[in-house]
Amino acid sequence: MGRRRRWRDGAGTLVVGEGLDRVRVPLEIAGSYRARTTGLLGRGAVDGAMLLTPANSVHTFRMRMPIDVAYVDRRFTVIAVRTMRPGRLGLPRLRSRHVLEAEAGAMAGWGVRVGVQVEVEVE
């Protein structure tokens, strides 16, 4: 069994696609318990995306806006994408190791969909 990476709170870049179709998105990394539980709560907008790790489910209680949620496995392959309105509880995804959150509609524009492998570059 491989060694698990310890993620730290901070900034990074989400990279979607390959070659000329590559999209780079500003990313906020929430690796601590406190950062994961706070997530996007109380925000009216998001610049880019947020990575919650480790995580396999999210909720949108006390959210001000609908969000896109992508569930990602340990190899950073997207296994599900959902748009969630405020006040919802997402079901846990057993194979999910990480969750990406962004403003509703953003992920489709970036090319984030089931089966796509994404990269995270840490600053």
Side-chain angles (χ1 to χ4, degrees):
M1 183 171 195
R3 190 173 154 196
R4 290 187 183 175
R5 176 180 180 164
R6 272 210 179 277
W7 293 88
R8 298 185 191 276
D9 297 346
T13 303
L14 176 68
V15 182
V16 184
E18 296 178 8
L20 297 176
D21 295 331
R22 210 163 209 208
V23 177
R24 298 176 66 80
V25 179
L27 184 69
E28 187 175 334
I29 299 169
S32 70
Y33 176 78
R34 172 175 259 165
R36 286 192 312 271
T37 55
T38 304
L40 298 177
L41 293 177
R43 299 189 192 186
V46 184
D47 179 28
M50 176 175 275
L51 173 71
L52 306 175
T53 182
N56 67 359
S57 69
V58 297
H59 69 82
T60 57
F61 301 121
R62 297 186 331 211
M63 287 268 189
R64 296 182 179 177
M65 61 187 172
I67 60 170
D68 282 347
V69 177
Y71 298 89
V72 182
D73 70 11
R74 63 187 173 94
R75 293 189 175 107
F76 281 89
T77 301
V78 177
I79 57 176
V81 180
R82 299 283 180 264
T83 299
M84 295 177 64
R85 296 191 321 257
R88 301 287 186 247
L89 177 63
L91 295 174
R93 304 283 170 164
L94 296 179
R95 290 183 18 238
S96 178
R97 182 73 48 96
H98 318 279
V99 174
L100 290 166
E101 296 181 337
E103 283 191 41
M107 289 193 188
W110 301 332
V112 175
R113 61 185 178 282
V114 174
V116 168
Q117 193 159 14
V118 298
E119 293 176 48
V120 173
E121 296 175 351
V122 180
E123 294 179 3

